[in-house]
Amino acid sequence: MLHTLYAALVFYTALPIAPQQPLNFSGIAWFAPLVGLVIGLGLTGINWVLSHLFTSSALPALGVVLAWIALSGGLHLDGVMDSADGLAVTDPQKRLAVMADSLTGAYGVMAAIALILLKFASLIELASLNHALSGLVLTLAPAWGRWAQLYTIGYHPYLKAEGKGKFHQQGIGSGQIWTSALGLVLAASAIAVVDLNLGWQSLGLGSFNLVIGMAIAHWFNFKLGGQTGDTYGAIVEWTEAVSLVAGAILIKIICAVKPGF
């Protein structure tokens, strides 16, 4: 399992990890949410440092977004752009060819800009709320994005006979998918150990993110009739972004129901 986790870190991140031997990437999708949790903890740490260096919330938010892209090596952002270009094509028969093209079209650029701005604005909003749950939202967003990918791999067909995403389906079943989901929900509610008042709110946040990931995965499956490696990446990124927005909304609701909480 440690060997597979190592392979997952090599594949899913741009961390300076030098493989000492040939890696077997079979089954690494199961570890993707854990890799996301590692990324989320790193981003939360970066946000904490930058927030203490700058009085404005804009610069820390920008730093986190740039670090977010850097830590994944742009792997998933590339999928956002390719998927957007493919979905812009009206002829379903040509979509896969457009998505496989290395050139990025106008729709892909617009999708990437929209996604980055959504994350940037959400992080500023979370910082302005100054709530105990804000850090948890950022920590878990990358993990839920990669859980959505895991869910997609397990339940949706892969549209290509071959491709960089095909091997992800190896060794993935319902047991791994829902065990991983349970682990993330429990991780979200673990803050109750520190503050008992936040237990149910944290649990609700985790459950909400689970639904978001599933909904985005099903939307891509509905539009394309299946998935590709590009849509895997797009699902990760859009789930992350929507999770940030949903987290900010949930915190506002909590504060409205319990003023001063």
Side-chain angles (χ1 to χ4, degrees):
M1 292 180 69
L2 289 176
H3 183 72
T4 307
L5 175 60
Y6 185 80
L9 286 168
V10 170
F11 185 87
Y12 290 122
T13 74
L15 294 173
I17 302 174
Q20 302 299 317
Q21 56 185 338
L23 297 175
N24 179 14
F25 293 103
S26 176
I28 64 169
W30 188 29
F31 290 89
L34 182 57
V35 171
L37 188 59
V38 171
I39 292 174
L41 289 170
L43 293 175
T44 302
I46 291 171
N47 185 60
W48 185 86
V49 171
L50 294 178
S51 296
H52 283 75
L53 291 176
F54 302 102
T55 56
S56 168
S57 60
L59 283 174
L62 178 60
V64 169
V65 170
L66 294 177
W68 210 327
I69 297 172
L71 285 172
S72 66
L75 174 67
H76 306 302
L77 189 59
D78 179 69
V80 170
M81 294 186 285
D82 288 340
S83 297
D85 284 336
L87 289 170
V89 177
T90 56
D91 185 354
Q93 303 300 322
K94 296 181 180 179
R95 283 177 174 168
L96 293 184
V98 171
M99 292 167 67
D101 194 334
S102 60
L103 298 177
T104 301
Y107 286 95
V109 173
M110 288 187 289
I113 292 173
L115 178 90
I116 291 171
L117 287 177
L118 186 59
K119 286 186 175 182
F120 177 68
S122 299
L123 289 170
I124 292 178
E125 181 67 17
L126 285 168
S128 70
L129 294 172
N130 193 29
H131 194 276
L133 285 176
S134 296
L136 188 66
V137 171
L138 175 58
T139 300
L140 291 178
W144 279 114
R146 284 153 185 80
W147 179 85
Q149 173 189 272
L150 177 62
Y151 174 83
T152 304
I153 291 168
Y155 286 100
H156 294 162
Y158 193 76
L159 291 175
K160 298 180 180 179
E162 297 180 357
K164 61 183 180 181
K166 183 69 175 178
F167 72 86
H168 282 81
Q169 294 180 320
Q170 299 173 1
I172 299 301
S174 298
Q176 290 92 336
I177 294 170
W178 296 110
T179 299
S180 181
L182 178 61
L184 288 178
V185 170
L186 292 176
S189 60
I191 193 173
V193 175
V194 179
D195 188 339
L196 294 177
N197 291 323
L198 293 178
W200 287 108
Q201 289 81 1
S202 303
L203 182 61
L205 174 64
S207 302
F208 200 32
N209 286 339
L210 183 146
V211 175
I212 289 171
M214 292 175 63
I216 291 175
H218 281 287
W219 185 85
F220 275 97
N221 188 65
F222 171 76
K223 297 294 291 186
L224 292 171
Q227 306 286 353
T228 70
D230 288 322
T231 61
Y232 288 168
I235 288 166
V236 170
E237 289 282 354
W238 285 114
T239 301
E240 290 176 340
V242 177
S243 293
L244 294 179
V245 176
I249 293 173
L250 182 61
I251 292 172
K252 281 182 172 290
I253 292 174
I254 292 172
C255 292
V257 173
K258 293 184 177 181
F261 180 70

